[in-house]
């Protein structure tokens, strides 16, 4: 038997005690899996040190190697867990970049079929395939900086243009468009990025 997506963690203010705690947890996990007739795959196991960028730069020594049995575990800068990409600085830039690329593919699909769909169906496509991706686990990464949010806001604006069938939007009609479509932009979502009013955000579509 094999157990997937198992995560262990340890925390300490100093690097050496932290490495010892993590190694102890890894040893205990390996012993538990073996006693329950399961197996850990060291080649699919990764370790990541979470800290601030400033503290990482001040580390006197690299993070000690963690092992499963006689095999060393690869240290990574980011890791995908339950659909969320976590980076070792907790900046969420990698997750936002990955999310933006995934959404961009959906926006391309929408742009190819938009003229064959009515407004309701285009909006339904948007909510199902684009907004749902943006909303997923957003409470985790909604503290990301405004600069990190730019790729996501950009691809969402492309999606809005496809839904509205408008390469440009008259500022005088922006508020009406928000009300009729019910689309909430990244910058309008509570807690995500810099909140702006509906009109200024929709008018930023170019």
């Amino acid at each position: 038997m094999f157990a997937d997506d198992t995560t262990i963690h340890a925390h300490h203010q100093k690097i050496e005690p932290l490495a010892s705690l993590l190694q102890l947890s890894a040893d205990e996990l390996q012993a538990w899996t073996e006693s329950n007739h399961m197996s850990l795959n060291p080649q699919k196991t990764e370790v990541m040190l979470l800290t601030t960028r400033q503290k990482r730069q001040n580390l006197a020594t690299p993070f000690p190697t963690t092992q499963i049995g006689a095999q060393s575990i690869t240290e990574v800068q980011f890791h995908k867990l339950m659909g969320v990409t976590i980076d070792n600085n907790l900046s969420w830039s990698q997750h936002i970049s990955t999310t933006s690329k995934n959404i961009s593919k959906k926006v391309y699909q929408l742009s190819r079929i938009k003229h064959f769909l009515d407004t309701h169906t285009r909006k339904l496509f948007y909510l199902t395939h684009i907004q749902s991706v943006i909303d997923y686990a957003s409470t985790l990464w909604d503290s990301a900086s405004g600069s990190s949010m730019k790729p996501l806001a950009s691809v969402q604006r492309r999606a809005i243009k496809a839904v509205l069938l408008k390469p440009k939007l008259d500022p005088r009609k922006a508020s009406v468009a928000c009300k009729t479509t019910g689309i909430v932009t990244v910058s309008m979502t509570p807690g995500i990025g810099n909140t702006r009013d509906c009109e200024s955000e929709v008018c930023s579509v170019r």
Side-chain angles (χ1 to χ4, degrees), residues 37-192:
H37 308 289
M38 293 185 288
S39 175
L40 292 177
N41 187 344
Q43 296 180 347
K44 293 184 178 180
T45 304
E46 300 172 334
V47 62
M48 182 167 62
L49 175 63
L50 296 174
T51 186
T52 63
R53 194 183 306 274
Q54 292 77 10
K55 290 183 178 180
R56 189 182 305 279
Q57 293 175 346
N58 294 329
L59 289 178
T61 59
F63 187 69
T65 301
T66 305
Q67 293 184 314
I68 293 181
Q71 298 191 46
S72 299
I73 304 304
T74 302
E75 183 177 356
V76 297
Q77 295 182 345
F78 57 87
H79 177 75
K80 191 172 185 178
L81 179 64
M82 302 297 290
V84 178
T85 303
I86 305 173
D87 63 88
N88 58 4
N89 294 319
L90 289 180
S91 68
W92 304 108
S93 57
Q94 185 65 38
H95 175 75
I96 294 172
S97 175
T98 301
T99 300
S100 300
K101 291 177 181 178
N102 291 339
I103 292 175
S104 183
K105 297 176 183 178
K106 302 299 182 181
V107 174
Y108 173 75
Q109 294 174 359
L110 177 59
S111 66
R112 295 294 300 272
I113 62 175
K114 61 185 180 182
H115 293 292
F116 303 98
L117 307 175
D118 58 24
T119 302
H120 173 75
T121 306
R122 291 195 302 272
K123 178 184 174 183
L124 185 61
F125 183 101
Y126 172 87
L127 294 175
T128 304
H129 298 287
I130 298 174
Q131 189 65 49
S132 61
V133 178
I134 295 175
D135 290 342
Y136 180 74
S138 60
T139 54
L140 294 176
W141 50 268
D142 62 11
S143 59
S145 65
S147 59
S148 296
M149 287 290 184
K150 285 184 178 180
L152 185 58
S154 176
V155 72
Q156 189 188 40
R157 286 195 292 269
R158 287 170 46 207
I160 293 174
K161 290 192 294 183
V163 172
L164 299 179
L165 292 182
K166 293 182 181 294
K168 294 184 178 180
L169 187 62
D170 188 334
R172 294 170 296 180
K173 300 179 181 179
S175 297
V176 176
C178 283
K179 293 178 181 179
T180 56
T181 61
I183 293 176
V184 178
T185 62
V186 170
S187 61
M188 291 161 53
T189 303
I192 298 183

